[in-house]
Amino acid sequence: MTPGETKRLRRLEKASARKRHARKKGEKTSRRLARVYNQIAQLRAKAKRRAADWQHKTTTGIAETFSRAGVEDLAITSMVKSVKGTMEAPGRNVRQKAGLNRSIAGEAWGRTVTLLEYKMADRGGTVVKVPAPNTSRRCSACGFITPGSRETQAKFACKNPDCGFVDNADTNAARNIDHAAGLAVSGLLSPRQ
């Protein structure tokens, strides 16, 4: 969403909360509240259409440019499980986890991979799912996993004394995924190792 649309959505959500709070239990939804709900739905639908359009354009560009694409084999359904817990053993950081789950679901990683898979297959390419563990902690230059190499969310600096490689953490992870995908295609690495 654009900043203006985000501001408008926030304003509409506050208005709907006020109108809902003022309504008596069992009372019929007013036309004004129904109109606010409709405006919220329209804004969210527009954002969803934009995201789907971006995913289609991006995956088409990748499929037309490359013959092989490597992606992390993420267990998305496990990543977005609730941590609510029970009455006896309540979960911790439930609100933060709910926000993370919402953002993961909003990005629709699974749909992006699905689109990429069918578009690559249609053009004669392949999508290789690489095991996710250590892709962002392994050095793409020397191949070692040394503790503390991932200094920050954005910076990777290999702590191997013989290496000293420094790069952006996402770029380093992408190189590791590309390397593992190439090994999987050549048969040197099974995709589930």
Side-chain angles (χ1 to χ4, degrees), residues 115-191:
L115 292 173
L116 187 60
E117 284 175 333
Y118 91 76
K119 290 178 183 185
M120 291 291 280
D122 187 47
R123 290 161 178 81
T126 57
V127 174
V128 180
K129 291 186 176 180
V130 175
N134 297 322
T135 53
S136 62
R137 297 188 321 134
R138 176 177 282 119
C139 178
S140 62
C142 67
F144 284 98
I145 301 170
T146 49
S149 291
R150 184 82 185 257
E151 291 183 346
T152 64
Q153 184 67 26
K155 186 179 178 188
F156 179 88
C158 184
K159 300 297 182 194
N160 182 0
D162 299 331
C163 182
F165 177 73
V166 177
D167 199 2
N168 180 287
D170 292 333
T171 305
N172 180 62
R175 286 187 182 133
N176 286 326
I177 293 168
D178 183 45
H179 179 70
L183 290 177
V185 168
S186 66
L188 298 174
L189 174 74
S190 69

Side-chain angles (χ1 to χ4, degrees), residues 2-193:
T2 63
E5 288 170 340
T6 305
K7 199 178 201 180
R8 182 169 180 244
L9 178 64
R10 202 170 294 127
R11 185 176 47 81
L12 287 169
E13 286 174 339
K14 285 180 181 179
S16 76
R18 276 194 313 272
K19 288 175 176 37
R20 260 196 329 266
H21 186 68
R23 197 176 77 180
K24 292 180 181 74
K25 191 171 185 171
E27 188 179 14
K28 188 180 173 189
T29 304
S30 69
R31 285 189 181 145
R32 287 183 182 180
L33 181 56
R35 188 171 49 222
V36 170
Y37 285 158
N38 189 30
Q39 290 172 341
I40 290 170
Q42 286 176 350
L43 276 172
R44 288 187 177 154
K46 183 187 278 189
K48 191 172 181 179
R49 285 192 306 271
R50 281 184 188 153
D53 179 59
W54 178 87
Q55 286 174 322
H56 273 286
K57 288 178 180 175
T58 303
T59 53
T60 300
I62 291 169
E64 289 178 349
T65 307
F66 303 102
S67 62
R68 175 181 51 89
V71 295
E72 284 184 321
D73 191 11
L74 299 172
I76 299 168
T77 51
S78 299
M79 292 172 71
V80 295
K81 280 191 178 167
S82 175
V83 293
K84 204 177 266 188
T86 62
M87 290 293 283
E88 296 79 32
R92 294 185 352 214
N93 299 328
V94 176
R95 292 184 74 178
Q96 292 89 337
K97 177 66 171 138
L100 176 65
N101 291 351
R102 233 184 339 271
S103 67
I104 289 172
E107 294 295 321
W109 295 340
R111 181 175 44 189
T112 304
V113 172
T114 303
L115 292 173
L116 187 60
E117 284 175 333
Y118 91 76
K119 290 178 183 185
M120 291 291 280
D122 187 47
R123 290 161 178 81
T126 57
V127 174
V128 180
K129 291 186 176 180
V130 175
N134 297 322
T135 53
S136 62
R137 297 188 321 134
R138 176 177 282 119
C139 178
S140 62
C142 67
F144 284 98
I145 301 170
T146 49
S149 291
R150 184 82 185 257
E151 291 183 346
T152 64
Q153 184 67 26
K155 186 179 178 188
F156 179 88
C158 184
K159 300 297 182 194
N160 182 0
D162 299 331
C163 182
F165 177 73
V166 177
D167 199 2
N168 180 287
D170 292 333
T171 305
N172 180 62
R175 286 187 182 133
N176 286 326
I177 293 168
D178 183 45
H179 179 70
L183 290 177
V185 168
S186 66
L188 298 174
L189 174 74
S190 69
R192 293 283 177 194
Q193 278 186 338

